[in-house]
Amino acid sequence: MENLKKIFIQNEYILSKENSKAVEFKKEEDIIYLLPTKDLCAVIHPKRVENSKPLRNRSNGITHSTAFTLFPKKQHTGQQPIQYGYSFKFISEKELDAFLNSIDQL
């Protein structure tokens, strides 16, 4: 996990919050959550993805979690709305680094 945090920092993201469910990174107006699962997965703010066709096409779909505290909520399977974002899965740290490096152009 420490190597992944370094990749975000090298790409000018600031670690702003961390808990057992997600690590929150900010860069200007972008917010990305890194999920500490066995899959290499990052979640991006819905507005950012919905306004970018290349990001929508690259996304693995919507992910819900109360850990995404800075994301909007919408109704999912529970009684109350829950925060959501678009997930992006990566095969390697190198692929994550390239994605973070290119996200400003998407």
Side-chain angles (χ1 to χ4, degrees), residues 2-15 25-27 93-94 96-98 100-101 104:
E2 291 305 313
N3 286 344
L4 300 176
K5 291 178 190 176
K6 286 179 186 176
I7 291 170
F8 275 87
I9 292 167
Q10 289 168 352
N11 282 281
E12 301 176 2
Y13 284 84
I14 297 169
L15 192 155
F25 291 94
K26 293 181 183 178
K27 179 180 177 181
E93 292 176 6
K94 187 176 180 179
L96 170 64
D97 184 42
L100 293 175
N101 192 34
D104 293 332

Side-chain angles (χ1 to χ4, degrees), residues 10-62:
Q10 289 168 352
N11 282 281
E12 301 176 2
Y13 284 84
I14 297 169
L15 192 155
S16 55
K17 190 188 299 183
E18 182 173 5
N19 61 40
S20 62
K21 292 182 179 183
V23 182
E24 180 183 278
F25 291 94
K26 293 181 183 178
K27 179 180 177 181
E28 298 169 11
E29 298 192 14
D30 279 337
I31 301 164
I32 299 179
Y33 288 93
L34 176 64
L35 303 182
T37 60
K38 48 184 165 175
D39 292 332
L40 184 49
C41 184
V43 181
I44 297 180
H45 195 284
K47 190 177 200 181
R48 176 79 156 97
V49 176
E50 291 163 358
N51 290 333
S52 169
K53 188 173 183 178
L55 283 175
R56 275 195 321 269
N57 291 341
R58 169 75 168 81
S59 174
N60 293 96
I62 293 176

